[in-house]
Amino acid sequence: MLKRLTSQNAFLYALLVVVGFTVSCKKSSNNPDANGVSQGASGTRDELTKDSIYLYAQQTYFWNVGMPSYSSFNPRQYTSNNAVLNAIKALPSTGGKDKYSFIDDGSVASQLGGIGGDYGFSANFEGNTDTLRVKYVYAGSPAAAAGLTRGDKIKRVNGRAVSRASSAELDYLNNAIFGDNAAVTLTIEKNKVSSDVTVTRGTYNINPVLYTNTYTVGAKKIGYIVFNSFTTNAVPALDAAFAKFTTDGVTELVVDLRYNGGGSVATSETFTNLIAPPSQNGKVMYTTYWTKTMQDGAATILQNQKFYAKGNDGVTRLYSYADYSYKPTLAAGNQESFAKRGTLNGLTRVYFLVTGGTASASELLINNLKPVIDVKLIGKTTYGKPVGFFSIRIDKNDLYIPQFQTKNQLDQGDYFSGMTVDKDVADDLSKDFGDPSEKMLAQALYYSANNNFTALARDNNLSSTSGATRGQIDAANEKLDHEFKGMVETRALKFK
């Protein structure tokens, strides 16, 4: 699964080759800049890295307006790189909105490109029984080879009974299931029969299309697709799924994004064009608004981020991120237009199944389509991430800080608190993907037949035998949520 980390360099996926430069923004002691930093300033490697984190944020951070000067902030006072970043995130200029920035050591760089290197499954506590269950398994992964399937109850982890009673218990589960251990032993219960299963970490190809099906509702055909991550290798699988929907005569579509934390912007665009009506061709899909410093060409620090690429004249040479245009225009490549993909025409409505884990590129897909087709959201309020980034290489790490926001053709895109749903329904981990009785899917199928949602109170009720509240369960699951949440710029941006 994609964790809270992403690729080493987003532009790699636009076929750019990054040069392995170590960037530390050194300055000269004789010529201090406006922030009081001396050009060629000396310092330890750690100190210069902390400087760089601050200085890149000062010029490229989405909330850089009103940031303190270098001397006032003093990045070297902090005990670690993450402490510097956390201090930046806590600045008043962010308005408390930054829950997105992080530092990556590059260890999971391949995952955005569709290569997994973990166990290949994830788990959450089930709302109505307070039981830990497998929530998805990637085909071809070690977990799949071990026989794990969605809905399996996890009774013990490495011999220890599962509990969410304390932070220590949740920390234990996080380390065992989502840490860097070579293997994990699980006591799994299937159909009331328990067995011990050992899953060993391994490399596998990620296919983010977990399930597809077509349902008949009256005279209508309803397509259903579970899409788990916007990897850069997902397009062939998406094309094949939509070709089948065309053959089946689908006129309404259910897109299950309940665990999809985002990924590639380019893949989100492709998905949008598979759904959008041909009548939108040539009209604005969305606009990317980069940090004003970048739009104005004043983010000179980006000259330190080097790569080889073909220029507008077709000649390959050394460029930097400062050579791109960041203006929010079509000519600069920062305004995308609809371009119908595939042959699935005539869709009248799209139902999105969402949760608090639905984020970023998933929300971009939904926001792109809201002005052009009837959209219904079923589940729980989404994560809320209308901003995105590309990686900044600093020494041996990649810095990810928001640098742009996207807005649809109606200039809508301020969903920092998440997108609210049309029908509030809890995730139903006891049912497999595609089961018509699974609560979220059932609501979509019911709406298709009746043009309204059911009003069953039990959709969100916990079992009467459980002392847990919905908030307690959700809080525990949030701590176990290791899906990456990000919108990574993977388009081939235009040079100035």
Side-chain angles (χ1 to χ4, degrees), residues 40 112 255 294 318-319 386 401 417 495:
L112 186 62
V255 181
M294 297 169 72
L318 191 63
Y319 288 94
I401 54 176
S417 298
F495 292 111

Side-chain angles (χ1 to χ4, degrees), residues 34-256:
N35 294 303
V37 184
S38 296
Q39 301 250 336
S42 61
T44 67
R45 187 170 186 165
D46 286 345
E47 288 173 337
L48 293 170
T49 296
K50 291 171 184 176
D51 287 352
S52 293
I53 292 170
Y54 168 81
L55 293 169
Y56 274 106
Q58 188 184 55
Q59 293 194 16
T60 71
Y61 190 39
F62 189 73
W63 296 284
N64 64 353
V65 175
M67 283 183 65
S69 67
Y70 171 90
S71 56
S72 296
F73 184 82
N74 186 16
R76 298 187 185 189
Q77 70 177 298
Y78 297 97
T79 58
S80 68
N81 294 340
N82 278 317
V84 175
L85 185 58
N86 288 336
I88 292 171
K89 291 164 67 175
L91 290 173
S93 60
T94 72
K97 291 180 179 179
D98 188 1
K99 53 183 177 180
Y100 320 113
S101 299
F102 64 92
I103 297 172
D104 173 17
D105 64 3
S107 62
V108 291
S110 62
Q111 291 195 12
L112 186 62
I115 304 296
D118 47 30
Y119 300 135
F121 80 99
S122 190
N124 264 172
F125 286 97
E126 183 183 27
N128 62 353
T129 62
D130 200 13
T131 299
L132 186 67
R133 287 184 183 265
V134 174
K135 65 181 185 181
Y136 67 81
V137 178
Y138 278 121
S141 70
L148 268 62
T149 56
R150 174 176 164 84
D152 288 349
K153 292 182 180 180
I154 303 176
K155 309 296 288 185
R156 305 180 77 84
V157 177
N158 290 334
R160 181 167 165 174
V162 169
S163 172
R164 59 164 192 85
S166 67
S167 293
E169 295 287 355
L170 292 172
D171 288 343
Y172 177 82
L173 292 175
N174 271 321
N175 179 65
I177 298 175
F178 303 111
D180 296 326
N181 306 300
V184 62
T185 298
L186 309 171
T187 300
I188 298 293
E189 181 182 307
K190 293 177 182 280
N191 301 319
K192 299 183 179 180
V193 177
S194 295
S195 62
D196 289 337
V197 174
T198 297
V199 185
T200 302
R201 182 180 302 276
T203 301
Y204 59 95
N205 293 321
I206 296 173
N207 180 356
V209 178
L210 300 185
Y211 182 86
T212 62
N213 197 13
T214 298
Y215 302 87
T216 301
V217 178
K220 291 189 287 189
K221 297 291 185 180
I222 314 300
Y224 175 62
I225 180 169
V226 182
F227 193 66
N228 211 48
S229 178
F230 287 83
T231 58
T232 58
N233 70 332
V235 172
L238 284 172
D239 283 341
F242 275 75
K244 181 65 164 56
F245 291 151
T246 299
T247 300
D248 292 345
V250 163
T251 57
E252 292 185 7
L253 184 65
V254 182
V255 181
D256 195 333

Side-chain angles (χ1 to χ4, degrees), residues 4 6 62-63 97-102 260-263 265 356-365 367 381-390 400-406 413-419 483-489:
R4 295 185 190 274
T6 63
F62 189 73
W63 296 284
K97 291 180 179 179
D98 188 1
K99 53 183 177 180
Y100 320 113
S101 299
F102 64 92
N260 193 322
V265 169
T358 305
S360 206
S362 289
E363 293 169 313
L364 174 64
L365 170 64
N367 198 49
T381 300
T382 65
Y383 183 74
K385 191 178 186 300
V387 292
F389 37 48
F390 57 76
Y400 288 89
I401 54 176
Q403 296 139 333
F404 66 82
Q405 180 178 4
T406 60
D414 288 323
Y415 43 87
F416 286 96
S417 298
M419 296 177 170
E483 278 67 46
F484 163 75
K485 292 179 178 61
M487 181 160 56
V488 185
E489 181 55 88

Side-chain angles (χ1 to χ4, degrees), residues 229-341:
S229 178
F230 287 83
T231 58
T232 58
N233 70 332
V235 172
L238 284 172
D239 283 341
F242 275 75
K244 181 65 164 56
F245 291 151
T246 299
T247 300
D248 292 345
V250 163
T251 57
E252 292 185 7
L253 184 65
V254 182
V255 181
D256 195 333
L257 301 173
R258 71 184 77 189
Y259 307 133
N260 193 322
S264 163
V265 169
T267 303
S268 187
E269 283 181 22
T270 296
F271 208 148
T272 302
N273 281 318
L274 284 165
I275 296 173
S279 60
Q280 289 296 313
N281 282 353
K283 298 180 182 178
V284 173
M285 179 191 291
Y286 72 94
T287 303
T288 301
Y289 295 92
W290 295 86
T291 303
K292 188 175 186 301
T293 317
M294 297 169 72
Q295 289 186 37
D296 292 345
T300 54
I301 197 169
L302 289 176
Q303 294 171 0
N304 294 305
Q305 298 292 312
K306 306 286 188 179
F307 55 88
Y308 283 103
K310 285 187 178 180
N312 297 328
D313 56 4
V315 176
T316 298
R317 57 174 64 88
L318 191 63
Y319 288 94
S320 75
Y321 286 180
D323 294 315
Y324 283 120
S325 174
Y326 296 102
K327 295 185 181 299
T329 63
L330 181 64
N334 292 308
Q335 190 173 72
E336 295 298 325
S337 301
F338 285 100
K340 179 63 183 174
R341 185 182 183 95

